[in-house]
Amino acid sequence: MSTTEKRLTRLPLVKWLAIELGLVTLISLAWITESRLAGYSAFIGGLIYIIPNVYFAHRMYRFEGARNAHLVVGNMFRAETIKLALTAVFFAAVFILMEPVHVPALFFTFAVMVVAGSVIRWRIQPKARR
């Protein structure tokens, strides 16, 4: 898409990302009250959710409109597959490379972000341009 073309919808990607990062920070600060390791593990759990979703959003919203429907569908399946693979690789890397891990903080933050991400996207929806 050239820079002169207008997008059909305005996506609040930056707003979504800012809210998610803020939520991860708050959850990590809450876990720090237990231990530094718990706070650090909670932050890593949030990043394991956020980073693959940022990749997915970048790939998914590159094309739009009826003329690009085949590109949108192809990108959606590729991006979702890569997002799931990245999530699995990040979890594996954490358990292999991070020696002390506070597992409840890691999984709790990831689970909260999965639910919160869905709520955020439902509450803050893209706006159509006319």
Side-chain angles (χ1 to χ4, degrees):
M1 177 180 294
S2 72
T3 57
T4 58
E5 291 183 41
K6 296 279 188 186
R7 295 197 58 92
L8 298 175
T9 56
R10 183 182 157 274
L11 296 169
L13 296 176
V14 174
K15 188 182 280 189
W16 290 342
L17 181 61
I19 292 170
E20 287 175 350
L21 286 173
L23 184 59
V24 166
T25 303
L26 287 175
I27 294 171
S28 299
L29 290 173
W31 277 99
I32 276 183
T33 60
E34 183 172 328
S35 71
R36 276 182 66 195
L37 177 64
Y40 181 70
S41 296
F43 190 74
I44 295 297
L47 289 180
I48 289 173
Y49 172 80
I50 290 174
I51 293 171
N53 278 305
V54 167
Y55 172 80
F56 177 80
H58 168 71
R59 295 292 297 183
M60 185 61 203
Y61 297 114
R62 288 175 34 179
F63 305 105
E64 62 181 31
R67 291 185 184 152
N68 294 321
H70 66 287
L71 295 173
V72 171
V73 172
N75 266 347
M76 180 180 64
F77 287 115
R78 253 181 258 113
E80 183 64 25
T81 302
I82 293 171
K83 181 182 98 167
L84 292 173
L86 281 173
T87 303
V89 166
F90 289 159
F91 270 117
V94 164
F95 288 116
I96 291 170
L97 301 175
M98 256 179 84
E99 185 54 39
V101 176
H102 193 276
V103 177
L106 181 84
F107 284 131
F108 175 81
T109 306
F110 183 80
V112 167
M113 291 307 299
V114 168
V115 173
S118 300
V119 171
I120 290 167
R121 280 160 188 76
W122 178 69
R123 299 276 295 160
I124 305 172
Q125 294 186 357
K127 294 183 170 97
R129 290 196 177 178
R130 304 240 174 212

